[in-house]
Amino acid sequence: MSTRARVRASAVAVFGRDGLGASLRAIAAEAGLTAGRIVQLFGSKEELRRECDEHVFGVIREAKRDAMVRAHGSATTLEHLAMIDEYVPYVAYVARSVQAGGEQARAFIDHMVEDALDYVGDAVAAGTLLPSRDERARVRYLTESSLGHLALRLSFDAPQSAEELRSSMRAHIDAIMLPALELYTQGFLVDRRMLDAYLLYVGDPPESEQAASA
Amino acid sequence: MSTRARVRASAVAVFGRDGLGASLRAIAAEAGLTAGRIVQLFGSKEELRRECDEHVFGVIREAKRDAMVRAHGSATTLEHLAMIDEYVPYVAYVARSVQAGGEQARAFIDHMVEDALDYVGDAVAAGTLLPSRDERARVRYLTESSLGHLALRLSFDAPQSAEELRSSMRAHIDAIMLPALELYTQGFLVDRRMLDAYLLYVGDPPESEQAASA
DNA sequence: GCCGCCTCTAAACGCATGTTTAGGAGGGTA
DNA sequence: TACCCTCCTAAACATGCGTTTAGAGGCGGC
């Protein structure tokens, strides 16, 4: 394993655990060298982050593809990956990188959205997901919400070690699974009044789908 | 308006716009004095933040109560407040403070959850909201998700002025309203299989409510 | 043996931060 | 006038950061 790769791995772990504000010296300590050396290797902290982004996003995308194959076709969310210890550091990194903003993170979200659009389109066609009036907006909403939620959790828990990171992640999943599934299967509003009122407000016809009133 | 109050107002505005990492000098410039003076007035940056938290959370809570009265009983979310220009800085501050963590923010989330539990309980009893198997978990999930989402948006948009903050907030609301309402009224899964599988997995009976199988 | 190269460290540098310190300006009071 | 108190600034200070620099140490090639 090259020094570069080792430093990058340490950086991903430390960034994921402490956030992108983590110091080069903290990463250097984790990787067993000095901060100066990291700059020599990568040029700057920002370029190190760029490489971490690229690497992590690649790992995540491949993991999702793998998981989809293993689950014969059903799509995988980040939360699914977060349940696998092996992927916890990567998922944490994604949340923290996305939270820190920057071009790379924006690109990653866009890519996740595009990927998910495919899956969702297929699932809608197959009849397992309800269609949306704006598929892209829905997918983006769900993606950003879950990422933002996870980022919030990590900020709050402020895990001090890889172990604490894992247990924080597990607690997060445990806390959201039931309400998320409930919400996903039935929502929580008993009727369409608020939705129809909004559709009317934005000028869309409230649909003749089922119960057209207005 | 006392100097303290003026500084606190500037701090809320700057923290909301730039995040809690904003420097005392930036706040001082906004308030028309020096960083040293702020420390003399508040003791430390952390105490300044504590006072901002307290003040903002009070404003938000009162605003929600007001809005609930005006809307004769129907509960108000942070997103509702975010649509009113006057409250934009406060909503932004809440998102950034909560994202930064700390005791005060944790307490605020807890308080929001408890408040919402009341409203949701009433609405369930009144038949406008579907019940949940775990009301507290549901309310917490929704609260944290929307706050996290908003925090993510602000991190990404990085508004440079109060104007940009307002337009960022407005864009956020515009982007989420439709998918959120769709999700809230119907979810997106066509059947209960995932939910039932999970209920089985955690040992809860999948309910005899409607379609009991297993 | 010596040169060159690569890896790496230790120390320094410049900068921004929160905080402290010394003191100035103005107003009220004796 | 002299004193004091409050509000405030300007400068200094300590700290931590990313980054730069000078050089040490090992190792292969000629």
Side-chain angles (χ1 to χ4, degrees):
Chain A
M1 196 180 193
S2 76
T3 303
R4 266 187 84 91
R6 184 164 42 93
V7 170
R8 197 186 54 198
S10 299
V12 168
V14 172
F15 279 147
R17 164 161 49 82
D18 301 346
L20 278 265
S23 73
L24 285 184
R25 285 168 174 84
I27 296 166
E30 183 85 10
L33 36 62
T34 58
R37 187 80 248 269
I38 295 184
V39 174
Q40 288 174 344
L41 282 169
F42 291 88
S44 71
K45 188 187 186 183
E46 207 189 315
E47 286 196 43
L48 170 61
R49 189 210 157 172
R50 213 166 306 151
E51 286 207 27
C52 289
D53 277 1
E54 210 162 321
H55 178 243
V56 168
F57 296 163
V59 169
I60 294 284
R61 221 171 303 142
E62 188 164 350
K64 282 190 162 192
R65 232 191 315 265
D66 273 18
M68 202 172 78
V69 170
R70 265 203 301 275
H72 35 78
S74 100
T76 309
T77 66
L78 266 188
E79 281 82 4
H80 285 125
L81 290 184
M83 294 191 294
I84 309 172
D85 279 359
E86 180 190 353
Y87 288 117
V88 162
Y90 297 103
V91 174
Y93 180 92
V94 168
R96 308 218 95 135
S97 175
V98 154
Q99 178 173 48
E103 218 33 62
Q104 203 75 204
R106 174 166 261 121
F108 175 71
I109 285 200
D110 289 348
H111 204 105
M112 269 188 79
V113 168
E114 295 307 317
D115 277 5
L117 262 176
D118 283 350
Y119 308 148
V120 167
D122 291 351
V124 169
T128 59
L129 292 192
L130 298 176
S132 168
R133 288 157 193 81
D134 186 341
E135 291 292 357
R136 177 168 272 106
R138 170 166 78 171
V139 163
R140 180 170 287 276
Y141 169 79
L142 292 169
T143 302
E144 290 178 354
S145 282
S146 65
L147 268 176
H149 195 175
L150 180 55
L152 206 62
R153 174 64 44 109
L154 293 181
S155 281
F156 256 103
D157 287 0
Q160 305 282 328
S161 65
E163 216 131 335
E164 284 188 26
L165 177 62
R166 274 195 299 274
S167 69
S168 169
M169 196 74 82
R170 189 168 297 275
H172 180 68
I173 301 292
D174 284 350
I176 71 174
M177 196 59 96
L178 174 66
L181 282 177
E182 278 188 352
L183 179 64
Y184 293 169
T185 69
Q186 58 182 0
F188 59 71
L189 299 175
V190 297
D191 59 38
R192 304 173 33 105
R193 277 187 304 161
M194 292 195 70
L195 176 58
D196 286 343
Y198 177 75
L199 290 174
L200 217 57
Y201 168 71
V202 297
D204 265 5
E207 238 174 65
S208 50
E209 191 190 318
Q210 335 204 81
S213 59
Chain B
M1 196 179 193
S2 76
T3 304
R4 267 187 84 90
R6 186 164 40 94
V7 170
R8 196 187 54 197
S10 298
V12 168
V14 172
F15 279 146
R17 166 160 48 82
D18 301 347
L20 280 264
S23 74
L24 284 184
R25 284 167 177 84
I27 296 167
E30 183 86 9
L33 35 62
T34 58
R37 189 79 249 271
I38 296 184
V39 174
Q40 287 174 345
L41 283 168
F42 291 88
S44 70
K45 189 188 185 182
E46 206 188 315
E47 286 196 42
L48 169 62
R49 189 210 156 173
R50 212 166 305 150
E51 287 208 26
C52 289
D53 277 2
E54 210 162 321
H55 178 242
V56 168
F57 295 163
V59 168
I60 293 283
R61 222 170 301 143
E62 188 165 349
K64 282 190 162 193
R65 233 191 314 266
D66 273 17
M68 200 170 79
V69 170
R70 266 203 301 275
H72 37 77
S74 100
T76 308
T77 66
L78 266 189
E79 280 82 5
H80 286 125
L81 291 183
M83 294 190 295
I84 309 172
D85 279 359
E86 179 190 353
Y87 289 117
V88 161
Y90 297 103
V91 174
Y93 180 91
V94 169
R96 307 219 95 135
S97 174
V98 154
Q99 177 173 50
E103 217 35 63
Q104 203 76 203
R106 173 166 261 122
F108 174 70
I109 286 199
D110 289 347
H111 204 103
M112 270 189 80
V113 168
E114 296 307 317
D115 279 3
L117 262 177
D118 284 349
Y119 308 147
V120 167
D122 292 351
V124 169
T128 59
L129 292 192
L130 299 176
S132 169
R133 287 156 193 81
D134 185 342
E135 292 291 358
R136 178 169 272 106
R138 171 168 76 170
V139 164
R140 181 169 288 275
Y141 169 79
L142 291 169
T143 302
E144 290 178 353
S145 283
S146 64
L147 268 176
H149 194 174
L150 180 55
L152 206 62
R153 175 64 46 111
L154 293 180
S155 280
F156 256 103
D157 288 0
Q160 307 281 327
S161 66
E163 216 131 334
E164 284 188 27
L165 177 62
R166 274 195 300 274
S167 69
S168 169
M169 197 73 84
R170 190 168 296 276
H172 179 68
I173 301 293
D174 284 351
I176 70 174
M177 197 58 97
L178 175 65
L181 282 177
E182 278 188 352
L183 180 63
Y184 294 169
T185 69
Q186 58 182 1
F188 59 71
L189 297 176
V190 299
D191 59 39
R192 306 173 30 107
R193 276 186 304 161
M194 292 195 71
L195 176 57
D196 286 343
Y198 177 74
L199 291 175
L200 216 60
Y201 168 71
V202 296
D204 265 5
E207 240 174 61
S208 49
E209 191 190 319
Q210 336 205 82
S213 60

